[in-house]
Amino acid sequence: MNLGRVAGTLVASRKEPLMEGLTLLVVRQLDVDNTETGGYVVAVDAVGAGVGEIVMYASGSSARQTEATQNRPADAVVMAIVDTWDVDGETVYTK
Amino acid sequence: MNLGRVAGTLVASRKEPLMEGLTLLVVRQLDVDNTETGGYVVAVDAVGAGVGEIVMYASGSSARQTEATQNRPADAVVMAIVDTWDVDGETVYTK
Amino acid sequence: MNLGRVAGTLVASRKEPLMEGLTLLVVRQLDVDNTETGGYVVAVDAVGAGVGEIVMYASGSSARQTEATQNRPADAVVMAIVDTWDVDGETVYTK
Amino acid sequence: MNLGRVAGTLVASRKEPLMEGLTLLVVRQLDVDNTETGGYVVAVDAVGAGVGEIVMYASGSSARQTEATQNRPADAVVMAIVDTWDVDGETVYTK
Amino acid sequence: MNLGRVAGTLVASRKEPLMEGLTLLVVRQLDVDNTETGGYVVAVDAVGAGVGEIVMYASGSSARQTEATQNRPADAVVMAIVDTWDVDGETVYTK
């Protein structure tokens, strides 16, 4: 999985019917030191994440293993809101 | 998912039979600020997107989860036409 | 899917038995403007493509959705020979 | 698979229910010469790896083929603790 | 698929039980001109490849389609030993 910050939301009224009712989050990717990489992904929200929150997302077929995304054409899902992580003995982030 | 702008179409008369009847779109990839990355993908159209429209596409096995693409050898599908998205409190794009 | 030019062929007599009888093409990747990216892929031929032809290939699990590649350990397949594509109102390539 | 060093752990109390009970490791990616690439991945631990250990991880749908990760929205799993590897006749790493 | 040279082997005694009995090869990636890219992958050996041999490997879910790797958490497999390939009318490599 990768880390990201929820930067915003996306609205698409005309879409594949299987995507109806899902919240789409614009997620800026973070590196392991909690700085932005410049990359992003649009991911389905499976955990009720809000703008500004630090989250973890899964990609590819694994993104379809949540209740929200099963059998849907989604290749990225926010599946956790991060409390804290540490690297090399230092706490990088705490909610 | 990633964002893109439909830049054109592609025609291939000699192809795997399972690809018959599908519209193939040439999609220029966009970054989160709605500028082109230089990358592209050829994607099956699942939503009737037209040239010039800003769309969202899914990649990999998730690209086969639409009605149009099920069980077909397609690794990218345009599955939504974007109305609007915002980043860090600013509207980046509105249709 | 991505675009490529068939640059050559590859022969491997010692291989996983499920790969027997498949033609392996060396494909140089093309960008959307029909210039080579420097990248390549070795792909199974599902459409009888010849050296020099401009083709479209699928990657990942989608590469196993053709008759030729089903259940085989192939992660790339040439699944169409391209007739033409256009970008931003200009024809980039015509066969 | 790729090589990595377990650099830390990650805690997320609000998450997709299928992720309950799994240990999440922050893994710095290593190149073939055992130097860090700057990249990372958050991976589920399937082998009881500790911080500082050199491990091997699998990505994508293959990450769901361990007992710990089956049918869960995980796209990376630490599935081995490395004892040793050699490259071009030299031992690069020994535990 | 991509091309590589088997540069060495890797040993991991503590691992996911489904990986027992598999040979793990350290493969340096090759570009289409048979020069090393600097990248690598650790791949399961499905064809009895030896150190120094030029091979072809498959990635992702396709890596689980050999007899050796079925249902195992392996995301790369060496599935052919290359005899020869040509590019743009020239033989790049012959065993």
Side-chain angles (χ1 to χ4, degrees):
Chain A
M1 284 72 68
N2 281 89
L3 300 166
R5 182 173 59 79
V6 180
T9 56
L10 181 145
V11 177
S13 48
R14 187 156 151 203
K15 59 193 162 196
E16 161 69 27
L18 289 165
M19 295 300 287
E20 289 292 341
L22 301 178
T23 299
L24 295 165
L25 301 174
V26 180
V27 178
R28 284 189 184 273
Q29 297 170 341
L30 296 171
D31 71 14
V32 77
D33 300 318
N34 196 19
T35 57
E36 296 183 359
T37 66
Y40 79 99
V41 70
V42 181
V44 173
D45 181 17
V47 291
V51 172
E53 285 193 292
I54 304 295
V55 298
M56 189 163 62
Y57 65 91
S59 304
S61 61
S62 298
R64 300 197 309 272
Q65 307 293 317
T66 71
E67 204 179 318
T69 52
Q70 201 142 19
N71 300 323
R72 296 172 200 269
D75 63 8
V77 68
V78 170
M79 29 65 85
I81 299 173
V82 177
D83 292 331
T84 185
W85 81 83
D86 60 276
V87 169
D88 300 334
E90 311 251 327
T91 300
V92 174
Y93 168 81
T94 299
K95 194 178 175 176
Chain B
M1 284 72 68
N2 281 90
L3 300 166
R5 182 174 59 80
V6 181
T9 57
L10 181 145
V11 177
S13 48
R14 187 157 152 203
K15 59 194 160 196
E16 162 69 27
L18 289 165
M19 295 300 287
E20 289 292 343
L22 301 178
T23 300
L24 295 165
L25 300 175
V26 180
V27 178
R28 283 190 185 274
Q29 297 170 342
L30 296 171
D31 71 14
V32 77
D33 299 317
N34 196 19
T35 56
E36 296 183 0
T37 66
Y40 79 99
V41 70
V42 182
V44 172
D45 181 18
V47 291
V51 172
E53 285 192 291
I54 304 295
V55 297
M56 188 164 62
Y57 64 92
S59 304
S61 61
S62 298
R64 300 197 310 272
Q65 307 293 318
T66 71
E67 204 179 319
T69 53
Q70 200 142 22
N71 300 323
R72 297 172 198 269
D75 63 8
V77 69
V78 170
M79 29 65 86
I81 299 173
V82 177
D83 292 331
T84 185
W85 81 83
D86 59 277
V87 169
D88 301 335
E90 311 250 329
T91 301
V92 174
Y93 168 81
T94 299
K95 195 179 174 176
Chain C
M1 283 73 69
N2 281 89
L3 301 166
R5 182 174 59 80
V6 181
T9 56
L10 181 144
V11 178
S13 47
R14 188 156 151 203
K15 60 193 159 195
E16 162 69 28
L18 288 165
M19 295 300 286
E20 289 291 343
L22 300 178
T23 300
L24 295 165
L25 301 174
V26 180
V27 178
R28 283 188 184 275
Q29 297 170 342
L30 297 171
D31 71 15
V32 77
D33 300 317
N34 196 20
T35 56
E36 296 182 1
T37 66
Y40 79 99
V41 70
V42 181
V44 173
D45 181 17
V47 290
V51 172
E53 284 192 292
I54 304 295
V55 297
M56 188 163 62
Y57 65 92
S59 304
S61 60
S62 298
R64 299 197 310 273
Q65 307 293 318
T66 71
E67 205 179 318
T69 53
Q70 201 142 22
N71 300 323
R72 296 172 199 268
D75 62 9
V77 68
V78 170
M79 29 66 85
I81 299 173
V82 177
D83 291 333
T84 185
W85 82 84
D86 60 277
V87 169
D88 301 334
E90 310 250 327
T91 300
V92 174
Y93 168 82
T94 299
K95 195 177 173 177
Chain D
M1 284 72 69
N2 281 89
L3 300 166
R5 182 173 60 79
V6 181
T9 56
L10 181 145
V11 177
S13 48
R14 188 156 152 203
K15 60 194 161 195
E16 162 70 27
L18 288 165
M19 296 300 287
E20 289 292 342
L22 300 179
T23 300
L24 296 165
L25 300 174
V26 179
V27 178
R28 284 189 182 275
Q29 297 170 341
L30 297 171
D31 71 15
V32 77
D33 300 316
N34 196 19
T35 56
E36 295 182 1
T37 66
Y40 80 99
V41 70
V42 181
V44 172
D45 181 18
V47 290
V51 173
E53 285 192 291
I54 304 295
V55 298
M56 189 163 62
Y57 65 93
S59 304
S61 61
S62 298
R64 299 197 308 272
Q65 307 294 317
T66 70
E67 203 178 320
T69 52
Q70 201 142 20
N71 300 323
R72 296 172 200 268
D75 63 8
V77 67
V78 170
M79 30 64 86
I81 298 174
V82 177
D83 292 332
T84 185
W85 81 84
D86 60 276
V87 169
D88 301 334
E90 311 251 327
T91 300
V92 174
Y93 168 82
T94 299
K95 194 178 174 176
Chain E
M1 283 73 68
N2 281 89
L3 300 165
R5 182 174 59 79
V6 181
T9 56
L10 181 144
V11 178
S13 48
R14 188 157 152 203
K15 60 193 160 196
E16 161 69 28
L18 288 165
M19 295 300 286
E20 289 291 342
L22 300 178
T23 299
L24 295 165
L25 300 175
V26 179
V27 178
R28 283 188 182 275
Q29 297 170 341
L30 297 171
D31 71 14
V32 77
D33 300 317
N34 196 20
T35 56
E36 295 182 1
T37 65
Y40 79 100
V41 69
V42 182
V44 172
D45 181 18
V47 290
V51 172
E53 285 192 292
I54 304 296
V55 297
M56 189 162 62
Y57 65 91
S59 304
S61 61
S62 298
R64 299 197 310 273
Q65 307 293 318
T66 71
E67 204 178 320
T69 52
Q70 201 142 21
N71 300 323
R72 295 171 200 269
D75 63 9
V77 68
V78 170
M79 29 65 86
I81 298 174
V82 177
D83 292 332
T84 185
W85 82 83
D86 60 276
V87 169
D88 300 334
E90 310 250 328
T91 301
V92 174
Y93 168 82
T94 299
K95 194 178 175 176

